[in-house]
Amino acid sequence: MNDNQCPRRGGQAVIVRYGEISLKGRNRSQFELGLKNDLDWFLRQNGHSFSSISMQRGRIYIHGCIGLPDLEKVLGVYSYSPALEIPRDYEALKNASAGFMPAIKKSAHFRVSCQRLDKHFTPDSMAVEKEIGAIIAERTGTPVRLKDPAFELHIEIGQRHIYLFSEKISAFGGFPVGSAGKLVSLISGGIDSPVATFLMMKRGVWPVLLHFKVSEAEAAKVSRLRDRLEAFSAGRKIKLIVIPRAELFQGKFSGLFGTRLEPYVCVLCKYLMHKKASQMVKEEGAFGIITGDNLAQVASQTLKNLLAQRRGSDCPVYSPLIAYEKIETMALARRIGTYDLSIESVPGCTPPRNPKTGVKLERLLKVLEETGLK
Ligand code: ATP
Ligand code: MG
């Protein structure tokens, strides 16, 4: 936004819209309050000066807000608009709309769109649009165009104030982080699992991260990925549990290489990860597991392998990326700021030469018995 476009002389405010929270039933106010608290924390943490935050009819208003906060970081926010806040008075509205005229004068065409959140206000929305539109058109010489205008002046009539704005910035939507409960997230240093974790956070999940490290560098990378996810956690620390991968195999890992069991190492490894994760689910009071699994992404991510490796756990496994295209995941990773870190290369696991692409469950159970890892 530039100040030229959106004059905020008078009361400066930010209108915050939330998406699905508004569809909630009886516990709606609990979600709204959670979002309000997260916004409050975010603004303070990022040094934004504001006077107060209020909730009215499906909107949260940040009053007296200096500067434009990056509210994409607050999960639950669907979109937001920097706005001019004026008294709920029609004459004041006519005067305030003049502040937008320089920008409208520079535009090829414009329209005025009015929404009355409070239907008691007169005149009604259409009359406001017509009259304010006519005044602006006359004073700027810019024609009105209702479809795809170059400039759209929004007028929102609230219960206590009127807001004028020209911009709607979209954010992620979803629910306040933590409002749905806790899940244990299996996180590697790759691109997928941080994105999968984020997607579940966006649905209100509070994640506890579980990583099986091969090297210290890998563990340090995952710790930095945790920091990136914390940008969306409304100030709360995300717990990261790191366990050496060797522990999963009880010292038997290298002994499997060069034997006929070598091709089973990957499925075995994932089985053991799920087993440990489901133990953590109980210890952490969580409700299930998150993974970054993606069907057919690599030759080993087959339905057969997924069935076999998930038998290690006895709780629900959530894999929001299961049907994503890699390109979609990468775009999201860039947007949430994990991509550049995920592609940094660090010493990781040594894969077997010919990993099995479709291990039958019965076969895996036999391998587990044979190795004594069950
Ligand atoms: P990512 O899937 O995160 O890009 P990756 O491709 O290295 O990483 P895969 O081999 O595809 O991982 O494993 C599928 C899923 O298993 C991961 O998304 C993650 O949830 C889990 N996982 C893999 N490696 C680890 C690990 N070292 N620690 C914890 N979980 C892991
Ligand atoms: Mg992967």
Side-chain angles (χ1 to χ4, degrees):
M1 182 197 68
N2 72 47
D3 287 341
N4 215 1
Q5 257 197 332
C6 178
R8 293 213 284 161
R9 262 172 276 120
Q12 311 196 26
V14 178
I15 305 173
V16 178
R17 300 172 201 87
Y18 39 88
E20 287 178 51
I21 296 177
S22 57
L23 304 177
K24 288 268 167 197
R26 267 182 294 146
N27 54 358
R28 171 176 165 167
S29 58
Q30 194 186 319
F31 283 92
E32 288 173 326
L33 205 58
L35 183 57
K36 182 174 176 256
N37 289 341
D38 286 358
L39 284 164
D40 187 273
W41 175 88
F42 181 84
L43 294 167
R44 289 176 201 283
Q45 183 70 12
N46 291 283
H48 285 286
S49 148
F50 65 102
S51 54
S52 62
I53 305 182
S54 69
M55 292 193 287
Q56 286 158 51
R57 293 195 182 224
R59 298 272 192 276
I60 295 179
Y61 297 99
I62 305 167
H63 306 280
C65 186
I66 313 285
L68 182 61
D70 175 14
L71 297 186
E72 192 179 68
K73 295 287 184 318
V74 184
L75 298 180
V77 174
Y78 179 74
S79 74
Y80 58 103
S81 297
L84 176 68
E85 181 182 86
I86 59 163
R88 208 168 160 285
D89 174 88
Y90 195 41
E91 285 311 306
L93 172 59
K94 285 185 196 163
N95 291 335
S97 61
F100 289 82
M101 288 183 193
I104 293 173
K105 204 172 167 63
K106 285 188 215 148
S107 307
H109 25 70
F110 81 103
R111 74 165 287 169
V112 175
S113 303
C114 177
Q115 190 180 6
R116 282 182 312 161
L117 299 181
D118 176 4
K119 304 282 184 223
H120 294 108
F121 186 87
T122 49
D124 68 14
S125 301
M126 208 184 279
V128 171
E129 288 174 358
K130 273 195 185 146
E131 188 170 357
I132 305 278
I135 295 170
I136 295 175
E138 192 195 304
R139 300 224 337 236
T140 59
T142 306
V144 169
R145 186 162 101 174
L146 298 183
K147 197 167 177 292
D148 296 328
F151 191 102
E152 187 163 6
L153 171 59
H154 295 269
I155 296 171
E156 190 168 297
I157 317 275
Q159 280 175 308
R160 290 181 215 149
H161 296 100
I162 296 177
Y163 297 88
L164 297 95
F165 59 93
S166 61
E167 228 186 335
K168 268 190 193 171
I169 305 164
S170 45
F172 285 108
F175 297 100
V177 63
S179 55
K182 205 189 271 182
L183 292 175
V184 169
S185 182
L186 278 170
I187 186 152
S188 71
I191 295 172
D192 301 340
S193 43
V195 174
T197 308
F198 169 79
L199 284 172
M200 296 308 288
M201 286 169 72
K202 187 164 95 65
R203 297 306 295 177
V205 166
W206 183 257
V208 171
L209 309 181
L210 176 59
H211 173 65
F212 298 99
K213 69 170 176 182
V214 169
S215 68
E216 285 313 318
E218 195 189 23
K221 179 180 173 185
V222 170
S223 167
R224 287 165 66 209
L225 283 167
R226 181 261 310 268
D227 297 345
R228 303 271 167 108
L229 289 171
E230 269 179 4
F232 297 93
S233 72
R236 280 156 276 159
K237 292 276 162 220
I238 296 178
K239 183 170 173 183
L240 166 63
I241 301 164
V242 178
I243 296 174
R245 198 164 335 174
E247 259 181 38
L248 283 179
F249 284 86
Q250 301 163 31
K252 295 173 180 166
F253 185 74
S254 40
L256 298 170
F257 283 79
T259 73
R260 65 187 172 76
L261 298 183
E262 181 179 324
Y264 296 94
V265 162
C266 287
V267 180
L268 204 51
C269 181
K270 295 277 160 55
Y271 175 96
L272 297 170
M273 284 184 188
H274 277 273
K275 190 172 164 192
K276 187 72 191 168
S278 66
Q279 190 186 320
M280 287 298 167
V281 163
K282 289 172 194 101
E283 282 174 27
E284 293 292 329
F287 297 97
I289 297 169
I290 306 171
T291 77
D293 283 318
N294 179 266
L295 186 59
Q297 182 186 77
V298 289
S300 59
Q301 279 185 331
T302 59
L303 290 177
K304 259 190 204 158
N305 276 4
L306 289 169
L307 173 75
Q309 65 208 24
R310 287 172 181 213
R311 219 21 103 88
S313 97
D314 57 3
C315 49
V317 181
Y318 301 96
S319 305
L321 299 178
I322 198 72
Y324 268 49
E325 298 293 314
K326 189 75 191 178
I327 199 151
E328 294 173 79
T329 307
M330 282 159 60
L332 197 47
R334 286 197 184 92
R335 190 168 165 202
I336 64 172
T338 54
Y339 183 79
D340 58 328
L341 192 48
S342 286
I343 59 170
E344 273 181 23
S345 123
V346 289
C349 69
T350 332
R353 258 166 302 150
N354 296 302
K356 288 271 184 202
T357 54
V359 179
K360 283 208 180 115
L361 178 60
E362 308 77 63
R363 184 76 196 109
L364 177 69
L365 296 176
K366 284 216 174 81
V367 173
L368 281 160
E369 258 187 63
E370 211 176 308
T371 52
L373 287 167
K374 203 172 181 187

